Amino acid sequence: SETVVAEMEEIFPEEKGAIKDATKDLMCRRMFVKAKTEGKRIDGRKLDEVRVIDAEAGLFPRVHGSALFTRGQTQVVATATLGDSGMRQKIDRISGMEQKRFYLQYTFPPSCVGETGRVGAPGRREVGHGNLAERALIPALP
């Protein structure tokens, strides 16, 4: 695909962005069709197969909880600190003020997967992953 992209960019130099977008879209569609027809992901796993995750707890002595999670080449360090009821997160919604007793702050900088790039406010993907993790943890809270 890199050869095709390079050739297309030579023919249509003013359309480099559109060529890259179209190529990415085509690859994603083909991966989806392959997964649907063959029942395997691009990395060879079955659709219902989950990668192993390793967890090491108790990394930092000064917080109430900490752990290192590793899946493949991706690592996450998670820490937990407990507070009293006055420490609840206050959320100003159109329907009025709400408070959350548990909230998860999640960031996923490019360095987590050996890449470089902009580091700033959490993006849509990070917010979504954080919300999923928060929903998974809430039933385990006392």
Side-chain angles (χ1 to χ4, degrees):
S1 72
E2 291 177 14
T3 307
V4 173
V5 170
E7 289 178 17
M8 294 296 288
E9 287 177 348
E10 282 182 29
I11 299 168
F12 304 101
E14 68 283 352
E15 298 293 336
K16 285 184 177 184
I19 291 167
K20 287 181 181 176
D21 289 346
T23 304
K24 182 178 179 182
D25 183 60
L26 177 62
M27 296 301 286
C28 288
R29 289 172 190 255
R30 294 202 53 202
M31 284 188 287
F32 176 78
V33 169
K34 185 174 181 169
K36 193 172 181 179
T37 57
E38 296 178 16
K40 288 188 176 181
R41 300 173 193 264
I42 197 72
D43 62 1
R45 288 183 292 134
K46 294 178 184 173
L47 298 179
D48 62 352
E49 188 177 341
V50 179
R51 290 181 290 162
V52 174
I53 187 166
D54 295 315
E56 179 184 336
L59 290 177
F60 306 119
R62 300 281 187 255
V63 297
H64 293 115
S66 61
L68 170 67
F69 298 97
T70 305
R71 175 181 281 164
Q73 294 181 330
T74 304
Q75 292 186 313
V76 174
V77 172
T79 60
T81 304
L82 304 176
D84 63 17
S85 61
M87 302 289 291
R88 291 179 182 214
Q89 181 183 27
K90 294 165 184 70
I91 303 167
D92 191 6
R93 299 199 188 272
I94 198 162
S95 58
M97 186 67 74
E98 288 183 21
Q99 293 186 352
K100 288 173 66 176
R101 67 184 276 256
F102 172 80
Y103 56 96
L104 184 88
Q105 293 175 316
Y106 177 88
T107 58
F108 194 83
S111 58
C112 290
V113 288
E115 297 175 355
T116 60
R118 183 188 69 80
V119 177
R124 244 174 25 126
R125 183 175 187 214
E126 292 170 303
V127 171
H129 283 176
N131 286 338
L132 284 172
E134 188 172 305
R135 284 198 317 239
L137 291 172
I138 285 178
L141 295 177

